[in-house]
């Protein structure tokens, strides 16, 4: 049933080995990019890895609001149809009083 659904949608199912992300580089590259962003945010903020979930949410927020060369706009703009509002964007780890 699943194979029929994806083939009707125009996709091709190509399985990979377990624990082998190197076999699926196209899908794994964004994960690597986000991981690097998270590590940098945690290091710059002086926070421990306990805060990685918050850093990941912030990294995804920033990642979706930056220019993408393949579509010549931000992913947010491509999805929502309008420019993102960056007025609430803050440096990760800053304190707002």
């Amino acid at each position: 049933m699943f194979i029929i659904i994806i083939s009707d949608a125009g996709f091709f199912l190509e399985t990979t080995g377990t624990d082998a992300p190197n076999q699926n580089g196209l899908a794994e590259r964004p994960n690597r990019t986000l991981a690097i962003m998270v590590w940098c945010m945690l290091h710059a903020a002086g926070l421990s890895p306990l805060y990685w979930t918050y850093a990941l949410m912030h990294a995804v927020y920033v990642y979706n609001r930056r220019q993408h060369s393949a579509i010549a706009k931000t992913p947010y703009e491509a999805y929502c149809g309008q420019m993102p509002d960056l007025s609430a964007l803050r440096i990760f780890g800053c304190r707002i009083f």
Side-chain angles (χ1 to χ4, degrees):
M1 183 66 165
F2 178 70
I3 294 174
I4 296 170
I5 293 171
I6 62 169
S7 65
D8 288 344
F11 294 101
F12 175 71
L13 179 64
E14 186 174 335
T15 58
T16 60
T18 57
D19 294 326
N22 57 328
Q23 294 179 351
N24 195 6
L26 186 62
E28 293 295 329
R29 180 61 193 165
N31 294 340
R32 176 71 175 173
T33 302
L34 290 172
I36 291 171
M37 290 175 72
V38 167
W39 295 335
C40 291
M41 286 183 205
L42 290 174
H43 178 72
L47 295 172
S48 73
L50 293 173
Y51 295 95
W52 75 268
T53 54
Y54 300 105
L56 179 61
M57 288 188 299
H58 191 78
V60 170
Y61 183 86
V62 171
Y63 185 81
N64 286 332
R65 283 157 179 81
R66 55 117 179 102
Q67 186 83 9
H68 195 283
S69 61
I71 57 176
K73 57 177 85 171
T74 67
Y76 179 89
E77 185 181 358
Y79 183 74
C80 296
Q82 61 185 12
M83 291 290 292
D85 178 20
L86 301 178
S87 63
L89 186 63
R90 300 288 182 259
I91 296 172
F92 177 76
C94 73
R95 294 183 181 167
I96 301 173
F97 295 102

